[in-house]
Amino acid sequence: MLNQDSALEAFLMGIQRKGYQMACLAIGDRDEALDLLQDAMMKLAQRYGDRPENEWRPLFFRILNNRIMDYHRRRTALGRWMSWFRSDQDDEDHDPVQTAPDADAPLPEHLLALDIAGDELVKAVEALPLRQKQTFLLRAWEGLSVKETAQAMQCGEGSVKTHYSRALANLRQVLEEHYERR
């Protein structure tokens, strides 16, 4: 059992960054995303830690997706009247070491273009309908197969293909419009 516990701990350590980023993109709130991630990790460890290792990844993303869906349901049920309290800028996250110039860094205009493109991509992903967003994040971001994504989202493989195709089409359209404006 100790070997299984070590393997589970290693799995959770390896998956936590992607899970956190996925939750952040899905809900747009870092603190809530961290809570959802921790809940998903705890549930996997408590309820499914004894399962074979090859089942952990789809199970983890199913749990995380369920937590994300629950979060959106709660927000919808409570209404969006509290959204104006949330700040988009969080000064506590500012790290001067990370913003220090690098002598080997690319030219500023290249970095600016990449930054703008990255911001546009994040905005485009955030603007996707929830099921398309989840499918895109699981397939493109996490690299899950169609079958694993279907398991994680608790839907059919055909639905995964449809949502993924629509997500790509929406993202392609938004990003093409962005580059046409430039």
Side-chain angles (χ1 to χ4, degrees):
M1 190 64 174
L2 185 59
N3 191 21
Q4 182 85 352
D5 290 342
S6 301
L8 181 60
E9 185 175 338
F11 169 78
L12 292 174
M13 291 296 291
I15 204 80
Q16 73 180 4
R17 183 172 180 211
K18 284 188 177 184
Y20 176 70
Q21 291 171 333
M22 179 181 249
C24 282
L25 281 171
I27 64 172
D29 183 320
R30 292 178 180 172
D31 293 331
E32 288 290 335
L34 186 58
D35 288 344
L36 294 177
L37 173 68
Q38 290 172 343
D39 286 346
M41 292 172 81
M42 289 296 294
K43 184 173 182 180
L44 180 75
Q46 291 170 346
R47 296 193 180 170
Y48 304 106
D50 57 344
R51 295 267 182 104
E53 288 183 45
N54 63 338
E55 293 181 17
W56 290 343
R57 189 171 166 176
L59 279 170
F60 171 77
F61 285 109
R62 178 185 303 166
I63 294 165
L64 183 60
N65 266 326
N66 286 343
R67 295 288 188 255
I68 290 168
M69 292 295 289
D70 290 345
Y71 172 83
H72 283 289
R73 284 185 195 113
R74 280 192 312 272
R75 277 193 59 155
T76 301
L78 295 174
R80 300 193 184 267
W81 63 273
M82 291 288 290
S83 66
W84 62 276
F85 283 114
R86 198 176 84 224
S87 170
D88 290 337
Q89 293 286 359
D90 195 4
D91 293 336
E92 294 174 11
D93 291 338
H94 178 71
D95 183 0
V97 173
Q98 287 183 344
T99 59
D102 181 5
D104 297 329
L107 295 173
E109 53 272 3
H110 180 69
L111 289 175
L112 179 62
L114 287 175
D115 192 41
I116 291 170
D119 288 345
E120 290 295 320
L121 178 60
V122 169
K123 287 178 188 173
V125 169
E126 288 174 343
L128 288 173
L130 183 59
R131 296 297 276 181
Q132 289 180 23
K133 185 185 317 183
Q134 288 176 308
T135 306
F136 176 78
L137 292 172
L138 289 171
R139 295 276 293 126
W141 186 281
E142 184 53 36
L144 294 182
S145 68
V146 172
K147 183 177 180 179
E148 290 171 326
T149 303
Q151 289 172 342
M153 294 179 64
Q154 297 176 312
C155 65
E157 292 181 23
S159 292
V160 169
K161 292 175 184 177
T162 299
H163 290 305
Y164 188 61
S165 173
R166 289 178 181 166
L168 291 178
N170 285 338
L171 292 174
R172 196 173 291 123
Q173 179 184 2
V174 168
L175 295 175
E176 283 175 358
E177 290 172 5
H178 167 72
Y179 284 107
E180 288 173 0
R181 284 182 274 151
R182 294 182 74 207

PDB file of all heavy atoms in Angstrom, residues 107-119:
ATOM      1  N   LEU A 107      13.299  40.524 -28.487  1.00  0.00           N
ATOM      2  CA  LEU A 107      13.014  41.953 -28.591  1.00  0.00           C
ATOM      3  C   LEU A 107      11.653  42.285 -27.977  1.00  0.00           C
ATOM      4  O   LEU A 107      10.725  41.488 -28.047  1.00  0.00           O
ATOM      5  CB  LEU A 107      13.039  42.386 -30.050  1.00  0.00           C
ATOM      6  CG  LEU A 107      14.399  42.272 -30.742  1.00  0.00           C
ATOM      7  CD1 LEU A 107      14.244  42.572 -32.228  1.00  0.00           C
ATOM      8  CD2 LEU A 107      15.399  43.208 -30.107  1.00  0.00           C
ATOM      9  N   PRO A 108      11.538  43.481 -27.397  1.00  0.00           N
ATOM     10  CA  PRO A 108      10.273  43.861 -26.738  1.00  0.00           C
ATOM     11  C   PRO A 108       9.055  43.807 -27.656  1.00  0.00           C
ATOM     12  O   PRO A 108       7.980  43.383 -27.228  1.00  0.00           O
ATOM     13  CB  PRO A 108      10.532  45.294 -26.268  1.00  0.00           C
ATOM     14  CG  PRO A 108      12.006  45.396 -26.146  1.00  0.00           C
ATOM     15  CD  PRO A 108      12.575  44.483 -27.189  1.00  0.00           C
ATOM     16  N   GLU A 109       9.207  44.209 -28.915  1.00  0.00           N
ATOM     17  CA  GLU A 109       8.046  44.189 -29.804  1.00  0.00           C
ATOM     18  C   GLU A 109       7.591  42.760 -30.103  1.00  0.00           C
ATOM     19  O   GLU A 109       6.400  42.498 -30.272  1.00  0.00           O
ATOM     20  CB  GLU A 109       8.301  44.965 -31.108  1.00  0.00           C
ATOM     21  CG  GLU A 109       9.532  44.573 -31.863  1.00  0.00           C
ATOM     22  CD  GLU A 109      10.802  45.323 -31.438  1.00  0.00           C
ATOM     23  OE1 GLU A 109      10.767  46.133 -30.508  1.00  0.00           O
ATOM     24  OE2 GLU A 109      11.833  45.077 -32.061  1.00  0.00           O
ATOM     25  N   HIS A 110       8.543  41.815 -30.134  1.00  0.00           N
ATOM     26  CA  HIS A 110       8.179  40.413 -30.326  1.00  0.00           C
ATOM     27  C   HIS A 110       7.438  39.897 -29.087  1.00  0.00           C
ATOM     28  O   HIS A 110       6.425  39.201 -29.205  1.00  0.00           O
ATOM     29  CB  HIS A 110       9.422  39.565 -30.597  1.00  0.00           C
ATOM     30  CG  HIS A 110       9.137  38.120 -30.811  1.00  0.00           C
ATOM     31  ND1 HIS A 110       8.481  37.649 -31.923  1.00  0.00           N
ATOM     32  CD2 HIS A 110       9.404  37.043 -30.037  1.00  0.00           C
ATOM     33  CE1 HIS A 110       8.355  36.335 -31.829  1.00  0.00           C
ATOM     34  NE2 HIS A 110       8.907  35.937 -30.689  1.00  0.00           N
ATOM     35  N   LEU A 111       7.943  40.243 -27.918  1.00  0.00           N
ATOM     36  CA  LEU A 111       7.282  39.841 -26.681  1.00  0.00           C
ATOM     37  C   LEU A 111       5.891  40.447 -26.574  1.00  0.00           C
ATOM     38  O   LEU A 111       4.948  39.788 -26.116  1.00  0.00           O
ATOM     39  CB  LEU A 111       8.120  40.250 -25.473  1.00  0.00           C
ATOM     40  CG  LEU A 111       9.415  39.480 -25.257  1.00  0.00           C
ATOM     41  CD1 LEU A 111      10.192  40.081 -24.097  1.00  0.00           C
ATOM     42  CD2 LEU A 111       9.125  38.019 -25.000  1.00  0.00           C
ATOM     43  N   LEU A 112       5.763  41.704 -26.987  1.00  0.00           N
ATOM     44  CA  LEU A 112       4.460  42.360 -26.944  1.00  0.00           C
ATOM     45  C   LEU A 112       3.467  41.659 -27.862  1.00  0.00           C
ATOM     46  O   LEU A 112       2.324  41.415 -27.476  1.00  0.00           O
ATOM     47  CB  LEU A 112       4.596  43.830 -27.336  1.00  0.00           C
ATOM     48  CG  LEU A 112       3.300  44.638 -27.347  1.00  0.00           C
ATOM     49  CD1 LEU A 112       2.685  44.672 -25.955  1.00  0.00           C
ATOM     50  CD2 LEU A 112       3.558  46.044 -27.851  1.00  0.00           C
ATOM     51  N   ALA A 113       3.920  41.305 -29.058  1.00  0.00           N
ATOM     52  CA  ALA A 113       3.038  40.602 -29.992  1.00  0.00           C
ATOM     53  C   ALA A 113       2.614  39.254 -29.423  1.00  0.00           C
ATOM     54  O   ALA A 113       1.445  38.862 -29.523  1.00  0.00           O
ATOM     55  CB  ALA A 113       3.733  40.417 -31.338  1.00  0.00           C
ATOM     56  N   LEU A 114       3.550  38.536 -28.813  1.00  0.00           N
ATOM     57  CA  LEU A 114       3.224  37.246 -28.198  1.00  0.00           C
ATOM     58  C   LEU A 114       2.270  37.427 -27.020  1.00  0.00           C
ATOM     59  O   LEU A 114       1.341  36.640 -26.841  1.00  0.00           O
ATOM     60  CB  LEU A 114       4.493  36.534 -27.728  1.00  0.00           C
ATOM     61  CG  LEU A 114       5.376  35.934 -28.806  1.00  0.00           C
ATOM     62  CD1 LEU A 114       6.655  35.377 -28.182  1.00  0.00           C
ATOM     63  CD2 LEU A 114       4.654  34.853 -29.573  1.00  0.00           C
ATOM     64  N   ASP A 115       2.507  38.455 -26.238  1.00  0.00           N
ATOM     65  CA  ASP A 115       1.657  38.723 -25.076  1.00  0.00           C
ATOM     66  C   ASP A 115       0.227  39.053 -25.507  1.00  0.00           C
ATOM     67  O   ASP A 115      -0.740  38.544 -24.934  1.00  0.00           O
ATOM     68  CB  ASP A 115       2.258  39.863 -24.254  1.00  0.00           C
ATOM     69  CG  ASP A 115       1.606  40.007 -22.903  1.00  0.00           C
ATOM     70  OD1 ASP A 115       1.323  38.969 -22.265  1.00  0.00           O
ATOM     71  OD2 ASP A 115       1.379  41.159 -22.472  1.00  0.00           O
ATOM     72  N   ILE A 116       0.113  39.880 -26.518  1.00  0.00           N
ATOM     73  CA  ILE A 116      -1.209  40.248 -27.030  1.00  0.00           C
ATOM     74  C   ILE A 116      -1.914  39.016 -27.592  1.00  0.00           C
ATOM     75  O   ILE A 116      -3.097  38.783 -27.315  1.00  0.00           O
ATOM     76  CB  ILE A 116      -1.102  41.370 -28.090  1.00  0.00           C
ATOM     77  CG1 ILE A 116      -0.660  42.676 -27.421  1.00  0.00           C
ATOM     78  CG2 ILE A 116      -2.416  41.545 -28.840  1.00  0.00           C
ATOM     79  CD1 ILE A 116      -0.295  43.776 -28.386  1.00  0.00           C
ATOM     80  N   ALA A 117      -1.185  38.212 -28.349  1.00  0.00           N
ATOM     81  CA  ALA A 117      -1.772  36.992 -28.908  1.00  0.00           C
ATOM     82  C   ALA A 117      -2.202  36.040 -27.790  1.00  0.00           C
ATOM     83  O   ALA A 117      -3.275  35.434 -27.860  1.00  0.00           O
ATOM     84  CB  ALA A 117      -0.785  36.308 -29.845  1.00  0.00           C
ATOM     85  N   GLY A 118      -1.376  35.919 -26.765  1.00  0.00           N
ATOM     86  CA  GLY A 118      -1.721  35.064 -25.632  1.00  0.00           C
ATOM     87  C   GLY A 118      -2.955  35.559 -24.913  1.00  0.00           C
ATOM     88  O   GLY A 118      -3.837  34.766 -24.538  1.00  0.00           O
ATOM     89  N   ASP A 119      -3.038  36.872 -24.703  1.00  0.00           N
ATOM     90  CA  ASP A 119      -4.218  37.454 -24.063  1.00  0.00           C
ATOM     91  C   ASP A 119      -5.472  37.205 -24.896  1.00  0.00           C
ATOM     92  O   ASP A 119      -6.537  36.891 -24.350  1.00  0.00           O
ATOM     93  CB  ASP A 119      -4.041  38.957 -23.847  1.00  0.00           C
ATOM     94  CG  ASP A 119      -3.043  39.285 -22.750  1.00  0.00           C
ATOM     95  OD1 ASP A 119      -2.699  38.371 -21.966  1.00  0.00           O
ATOM     96  OD2 ASP A 119      -2.613  40.457 -22.679  1.00  0.00           O
TER      97      ASP A 119
END
